[in-house]
Amino acid sequence: MLDFDQAQTLLAHAAQPLQRSSEVDLAEAAGRVLAVALDATVDIPPADNSAMDGYALREADWTPEARLPVQQRCYAGDVPEPLKPGHAIRLFTGSLIPAGADSVVMQEDAAEADGSVQISRRPTPGEHIRRRGEDTLAGAPLLPAGTLLEAAHVALMASQGLARVRVYDRLRIGILTTGDELVQPGQPRAAQQIYNSNGPMLAALARGMGAEPVHVLHARDTEADLLAAFKTLLADCDLVLTVGGVSVGERDLVKPALATLGGELALWKVRMKPGKPVALATIDGKPVVSLPGNPVSSYAVFAMLVSPLVRRMQGRETLFPPVSRLPLRTEAPRQDAREEFLRVQRRPAEDGGAELIPYRHQGSGVISSMPWSTGLARLPADVPVHDRDRVVYYDLRHWLA
């Protein structure tokens, strides 16, 4: 059996990042992956400005009794006059600092009347002044290639005057489910059939990671059906995910179909529960990953093993999101020959921290556990885990993003 960490690393590097990129409007950049490193083009702030509503003055002109004539009222966007000796200029947040001023005092420390202002506390030179370039300096690195762009990155790029940005093209994913026992949601179902939940689930997972599920196909258990589906997926997609049909049953025809197309399917037995059977093939440089048929197993394998590969192919800088260690609540000690990934909820603990509560039924067919869970708790193999023992926690908000 492959250890989980070994399988995760192997699969994460089963393909190279996409080389296709294009420019998009800044308004369309959120959720995309930056294809080129960006440097700052302007200083931010572009000039010294006030961090407060208040008054600009020279610290040397201040005394507790002094009443300084208010020379100008300078709003953000106005150009201030050079400060005259013994005067003050009324400023507002974002107003430029007048030449000759070395201090800004808050309006709460000032009393203005009859065109003059009295300052109640000694000003400190440089206080409440935002210096030119203290946020970004022109020419300095701004964002590295591989950054998954979010609203904060959009704000940073907009502050540099960028209207368009080069991003990697969306990763095109093809999904294939197999099995005569499956029927599509909304269609009539016979007693011996079940609804196909894996296809819609994997498509939603792909979209949630910013990829494009180009095709979601279902093939009957015939070689002709499988070959036709694979030809379509390999022609149109960068990554192909299949569900079921890779074990040693009489109707498990995925492996011979891929062999016909020139791909050798390596069947891995990963030491993880759920999700033991995982398979990988490469055809014309495109990875084909076969997931187990149980929906929970497929969900867990996608989150833990496939998502790093997706991030790599998208060109992202970070392949493996951070994990934490939290106490697991369990009524009885837990131990298994494989590493176990429990569906859990992260909840507040009595000590003010957090703890992990497992779903009551951990069967690999219990689909109701998936929307209930906030993440997966990783329990080591062959080691008893007791109540309140700390275990590795994978937060699905990050691992499926």
Side-chain angles (χ1 to χ4, degrees):
M1 277 193 184
L2 276 178
D3 286 339
F4 168 77
D5 291 321
Q6 183 183 7
Q8 190 183 59
T9 300
L10 286 171
L11 199 55
H13 294 86
Q16 295 299 314
L18 292 182
Q19 298 303 309
R20 304 188 310 270
S21 66
S22 56
E23 284 196 349
V24 299
D25 291 340
L26 195 61
E28 304 299 323
R32 305 298 294 273
V33 179
L34 188 63
V36 294
L38 296 179
D39 293 336
T41 58
V42 296
D43 295 337
I44 299 296
D48 292 356
N49 68 78
S50 178
M52 298 284 180
D53 291 348
Y55 296 83
L57 68 154
R58 292 182 180 85
E59 186 264 344
D61 290 336
W62 178 85
T63 65
E65 300 81 16
R67 298 190 62 83
L68 305 176
V70 176
Q71 171 184 332
Q72 180 191 13
R73 310 187 82 77
C74 183
Y75 297 91
D78 292 346
V79 176
E81 302 169 355
L83 181 65
K84 299 175 184 177
H87 286 64
I89 291 180
R90 177 70 160 115
L91 299 182
F92 302 88
T93 302
S95 299
L96 298 184
I97 301 300
D102 61 13
S103 306
V104 171
V105 294
M106 297 188 297
Q107 62 185 11
E108 290 84 356
D109 296 324
E112 182 180 344
D114 300 326
S116 297
V117 62
Q118 186 173 13
I119 310 300
S120 61
R121 57 180 292 270
R122 175 181 289 278
T124 301
E127 189 175 22
H128 306 313
I129 296 177
R130 297 187 291 213
R131 295 298 183 186
R132 175 177 178 170
E134 70 176 24
D135 186 1
T136 60
L137 282 171
L142 190 72
L143 290 172
T147 299
L148 176 62
L149 299 174
E150 300 176 352
H153 303 106
V154 171
L156 182 61
M157 293 184 292
S159 75
Q160 296 294 306
L162 298 176
R164 293 177 65 81
V165 62
R166 180 162 291 277
V167 297
Y168 287 112
D169 289 355
R170 291 195 185 275
L171 181 68
R172 300 175 303 196
I173 295 181
I175 297 161
L176 174 62
T177 58
T178 64
D180 292 346
E181 76 279 10
L182 297 179
V183 63
Q184 297 305 311
Q187 299 300 311
R189 182 184 65 85
Q192 72 275 17
Q193 294 179 310
I194 58 174
Y195 288 118
N196 183 348
S197 59
N198 279 320
M201 174 188 73
L202 289 170
L205 289 170
R207 289 190 190 94
M209 293 193 68
E212 180 184 359
V214 176
H215 295 295
V216 183
L217 304 181
H218 180 74
R220 294 180 61 83
D221 288 326
T222 67
E223 187 172 359
D225 249 25
L226 286 168
L227 283 173
F230 275 125
K231 288 178 181 178
T232 297
L233 296 173
L234 290 166
D236 297 341
C237 303
D238 306 304
L239 168 64
V240 175
L241 303 178
T242 76
V243 184
V246 294
S247 62
V248 293
E250 293 182 3
R251 286 192 171 184
D252 290 335
L253 302 174
V254 169
K255 186 171 184 178
L258 290 174
T260 300
L261 297 172
E264 182 178 349
L265 194 68
L267 180 61
W268 299 349
K269 292 184 178 179
V270 183
R271 200 181 186 191
M272 65 180 292
K273 177 183 178 182
K276 178 179 175 183
V278 180
L280 172 67
T282 302
I283 300 176
D284 297 331
K286 297 180 179 182
V288 179
V289 182
S290 293
L291 311 178
N294 281 321
V296 172
S297 298
S298 184
Y299 185 78
V301 168
F302 184 95
M304 297 292 93
L305 298 181
V306 178
S307 71
L309 172 62
V310 170
R311 282 186 279 271
R312 177 172 173 80
M313 295 185 72
Q314 288 174 321
R316 295 202 213 181
E317 183 181 37
T318 300
L319 302 187
F320 304 101
V323 298
S324 56
R325 297 185 68 89
L326 294 172
L328 178 73
R329 303 309 308 269
T330 178
E331 295 179 358
R334 307 184 71 101
Q335 184 174 350
D336 197 278
R338 291 180 284 165
E339 289 199 81
E340 192 171 7
F341 290 80
L342 300 180
R343 281 137 280 158
V344 296
Q345 275 191 2
R346 183 184 188 274
R347 295 181 182 175
E350 293 180 357
D351 63 2
E355 60 187 14
L356 304 176
I357 309 299
Y359 194 71
R360 65 184 184 278
H361 187 359
Q362 291 288 326
S364 59
V366 184
I367 301 175
S368 59
S369 65
M370 292 157 48
W372 178 90
S373 304
T374 61
L376 299 175
R378 179 180 177 181
L379 278 57
D382 299 322
V383 176
V385 176
H386 299 88
D387 187 40
R388 298 183 189 274
D389 283 354
R390 288 184 174 269
V391 298
V392 176
Y393 173 62
Y394 296 82
D395 191 325
L396 293 175
R397 291 176 303 171
H398 306 308
W399 279 80
L400 294 178

